[in-house]
Amino acid sequence: MPDCTVVVISYNDAARLPRAVRSVLGQSLRDLEVIVVDDASTDGTPDVVAGLMVRDRRVRYLRRFANSGGCGAPRNDGLDAAASPYVMFLDSDDELPRHACKSLLTEIERTGAGFVSGQISRLIEPDGRLKPYYPSLFAPRRVVAGIRREPELFLDCFSTNKLYDTRLLREHAVRFPEDILYEDHVFTAELYAVARRFAIVPWVVYHWRRAPVSDSISQRVDDLDNVRQRVLAARLSDDILRERGAADLVPHRQRRFLRQDLRVYLNPLPARDLVWVKEFASIVRPYLEEIPGRVLGGMEPLDRVCCRLILADRAEELLVAAGSLTGTRAAPRAAVQLNGRTYWGTSVSPGMDITKLRLAELPFSESRLRHEASDLSSDGERVRMVVRTYDPFGALPLDWTAFLQLGTRKIPMRLEPSGEGGYVGEVVFTPTGKCEPRVGFTRASDGHTTTDRIIADPRTEPIELPGCTVAVEGYAGYLCVRPGPRPLLRRAARALMRRFSTPENKLRAYKLLIKVLPPRRNLALFESDVGKSCGGSPRAVYEELRRRGLPIDVVWSVAKGRGALPPGARPVRRGSWAYIWTMARAGIWVDSHGFPLDHPKPRGTRYLQTWHGQGIKSIGFDAPDLRADFDRPRAQWRAAVARWDALVAPSAEFSRLFLPANGYTGKVYRYGTPRCDALVKGETTGDVRKLLEIPRGRKILLYAPTYRDREMGGGTSVRVDLELLAAELAGEWVLVLRTHPVERWSPPEHLKHFVRDAGSYPEINDLMLASDALLTDYSSVMCDYAITGKPMVFFIDDWDDYRLSERGVYHDLPAIAPGPCVTTTEELVAAIRRLPETHRAYAGRYAAFRALWCADERGDASARIVEDFFS
């Protein structure tokens, strides 16, 4: 008896079937059998399977006499023929990852569960990208004592990402219905009803291949009979739950239909004609009428609006609402505000309540307008269109100017009142390059601007122009400009340049340059945060150089797409050939992080390392990326540190920790931190409240978390429950979110009434001076903020993990923190509400903290360093 049976079903799929079978035969679990069930194929499937059987005796073959029209009958045939205690199902156009069977078998034997379910990932053809399906469902690894413990798992209705105990299926007569499509929905509903215990694993166990053009049942969303079949499967699933004594689970399964199944058809709805939409609504409406109001009421606002429009047979409005489900979620044409609530459309109805989206509470620069393009035409070079703008939330002031934005270009627009609560106008433009055209409005009183993309009918024919195409893309139908194919000679030149301009070639050229060219003593290359900004201590030193009028030619290194250059500075793209030339020629380097590590410093060049912070986190050879015993990165960093001629050390404690952790033995400036001079003096570069549109009377909570080494870039450092924080504090506070530069995360739109995204704000000193309190975790910003003397709160829900297995620390933060340390958002809310009393209670600790980290901060660090290093 084999350990596992994998049932592979196929119909007229001889070309892809071998790939699926090979993915099973190549499993790390060798003791298995493959049962290929042929649903009466008329192509070469029998010959293909015969060849597979000759090559591997583990392959068995079953052939049906007549096609069943679905997947249920062949899967039942395979289940009946399975000779092992455990069974899996695989479709002939999909694949199993190499360790799927072994890992699931190990888990089911370890847990004694009735089945084990793992992550299913869509494998997008032809680029091979993997897109996990609801990854939060499958993490963490766990055993679930019945579906009632986690009814959210009804979202996992697949039959192919599971390993089943064959006895469970046979003893409870759990089988696939054989006369419908979406039979796995019904099968898994019954499975959940009878399984007392099942396991969940977070790793990928099934590759669901998604081809651009496919005959897959789940991709036939333009077929109205497909809609009927999905609704039928939903009804049968509800019925079978009731028959199995699980009627209480029916509302949870219906939520799955509303959240997932219905959205499959709502997302592409804007591209349908009105007749199709009406027929679709007539198919879905009877089932929606059976769903309890509390289930509909628990949906997300826009999904609920669509359901209400289906129930009310308002097909034209349904088309508009469905267009707001995807893309940038366009605003409605009209909205009503009453008693603090906001409603979609022109009348007040509880089912149309969209208050939760907070669209009516956004600051002007984030406000949502709706722009619809029509009558698109072209004279061969220019595009002409009519744009209708809707202002559903009354965001536009009395005095404004409008423009069409094409990348970096702005074309003035003349808009007139439309008589429908909005504006209309015609605009002519010449498209170039690649961009998503937007309509923008600038408020005359303060210069703030808001822009939104332009919606158009998805069925609009593309307009071909010299060098580009104007088209409508996406389900929601947004206007786009896409460049045409480049001339062959130009493409060849760019390919040759890319091949020549490799980092290796640039390094070779750099090493040659520093051998033959002497550095210019009055040329300085400045860099901050590896080119991501032009701030920090290098900026403070630069400003002091300008103030003194020293004859030094400064070039600033900037990463691609970064701006905000200091006045009077020349930019150079970091990593470009010009950058390599400047590095080789500059007699002075000033940096806050590290110039490219493998580039030796030219002989005669002097290097000032300002560093970028101090605090409790491990650094240098103690940090995760260097504390491992790998010689090459450690040697590389040791050589990079050896390039420094002088180091800015903000405090004695910094020197005690940083110098030995990095093996630095050179000159140290103990004058304080140049970038903190402005904090000591209280000097700002801009009005934070005005720039971030923070209302008068609201207090500012600056939230500045640090990144997590194991999960950089995904926003995992934002660990506070912002939903709860907004619900509790939005009336009194505004949260200014300053994520670490390595993060790529923005707050969701419905929180922007409370959260201001300041991740790209040019000067963090301004944020610290404008704020009323700091919320952080282990970030070095705590040491700078202590200069202000204002309250701090520390959210450290992962303290044990961070100090023991993540980054590592030098200090016990809870023991020295100059403010309360909390681990839940509820505790955080309580701490914020009693902030004045708590701050007074921590006065002694605060003073000790400042003495440890800020004793040398006197506001003259930049002047003293420039005097010594440059003069």
Side-chain angles (χ1 to χ4, degrees), residues 555-665:
V555 176
W556 269 93
S557 160
V558 292
K560 184 179 180 180
R562 304 290 174 148
L565 272 174
R570 290 191 293 122
V572 63
R573 170 84 65 80
R574 193 179 199 270
S576 66
W577 283 107
Y579 178 78
I580 295 300
W581 171 262
T582 307
M583 277 191 75
R585 296 287 282 137
I588 299 171
W589 288 0
V590 180
D591 166 58
S592 67
H593 284 67
F595 287 109
L597 300 184
D598 48 4
H599 287 56
K601 185 181 64 173
R603 184 178 301 174
T605 294
R606 295 183 302 125
Y607 186 171
L608 172 63
Q609 174 56 257
T610 68
W611 206 242
H612 51 275
Q614 57 175 335
I616 68 168
K617 300 188 298 183
S618 67
I619 48 179
F621 295 111
D622 298 332
D625 52 345
L626 291 178
R627 64 181 173 229
D629 190 18
F630 295 109
D631 290 340
R632 183 176 179 182
R634 292 171 68 88
Q636 188 182 46
W637 180 243
R638 191 173 291 110
V641 171
R643 299 178 301 179
W644 304 347
D645 294 289
L647 169 70
V648 174
S651 66
E653 184 65 6
F654 175 87
S655 297
R656 183 182 74 85
L657 299 173
F658 187 91
L659 270 58
N662 290 274
Y664 179 71
T665 57

Side-chain angles (χ1 to χ4, degrees), residues 689 694-702 729-736 754 770-773 832-836:
R689 285 188 172 272
I694 298 174
R696 289 179 179 273
R698 299 280 179 87
K699 289 182 282 188
I700 298 175
L701 178 62
L702 174 60
L729 301 179
E732 185 180 357
W733 291 82
V734 168
L735 185 137
V736 173
F754 170 67
S771 66
D772 295 282
I832 296 296
R833 284 178 171 161
R834 59 173 186 268
L835 205 54

Side-chain angles (χ1 to χ4, degrees), residues 21 99 128 177 192 200 222 374 455 615 649 732 810:
V21 174
H99 302 293
Y192 283 131
I200 303 291
D222 56 347
S374 61
I455 305 168
E732 185 180 357
Y810 295 117

Side-chain angles (χ1 to χ4, degrees), residues 37-234:
V37 184
D38 178 3
D39 201 6
S41 297
T42 58
D43 64 357
T45 295
D47 294 333
V48 167
V49 179
L52 293 169
M53 293 171 68
V54 168
R55 286 189 290 272
D56 199 309
R57 295 176 57 190
R58 294 176 294 170
V59 180
R60 296 167 57 193
Y61 181 47
L62 299 179
R63 177 174 171 83
R64 295 182 59 82
F65 293 108
N67 180 256
S68 66
C71 300
R75 283 184 180 149
N76 285 336
D77 290 348
L79 176 59
D80 292 339
S84 61
Y86 303 107
V87 64
M88 285 189 74
F89 299 101
L90 172 65
D91 292 342
S92 60
D93 54 343
D94 299 331
E95 295 173 273
L96 296 182
R98 174 168 165 71
H99 302 293
C101 292
K102 187 173 184 177
S103 64
L104 292 176
L105 179 65
T106 301
E107 193 72 3
I108 202 168
E109 290 181 337
R110 183 184 71 85
T111 61
F115 68 90
V116 182
S117 183
Q119 176 73 65
I120 187 168
S121 276
R122 286 164 288 191
L123 196 156
I124 309 300
E125 298 179 352
D127 59 14
R129 287 179 298 120
L130 283 175
K131 297 181 66 175
Y133 173 88
Y134 286 109
S136 59
L137 284 180
F138 301 95
R141 179 181 181 180
R142 62 199 186 275
V143 175
V144 182
I147 189 66
R148 286 181 178 83
R149 295 292 182 91
E150 296 189 37
E152 181 86 352
L153 286 168
F154 273 116
L155 281 169
D156 175 19
C157 70
F158 299 98
S159 61
T160 50
N161 64 329
K162 299 173 178 63
L163 177 73
Y164 307 89
D165 186 328
T166 310
R167 292 173 302 174
L168 173 72
L169 302 183
R170 290 173 179 169
E171 289 175 5
H172 291 277
V174 180
R175 298 176 66 78
F176 292 91
E178 299 188 358
D179 53 352
I180 66 166
L181 304 181
Y182 299 107
E183 71 296 323
D184 47 354
H185 293 200
V186 185
F187 173 83
T188 51
E190 188 167 20
L191 177 72
Y192 283 131
V194 302
R196 303 295 179 209
R197 198 162 174 270
F198 55 90
I200 303 291
V201 296
W203 54 83
V204 176
V205 301
Y206 194 87
H207 287 163
W208 179 19
R209 299 188 73 100
R210 306 284 281 179
V213 178
S214 172
D215 58 355
S216 170
I217 292 170
S218 60
Q219 290 184 255
R220 300 176 196 162
V221 294
D222 56 347
D223 183 356
L224 286 169
D225 191 56
N226 191 279
V227 182
R228 294 185 183 92
Q229 288 288 315
R230 200 182 286 258
V231 172
L232 175 59

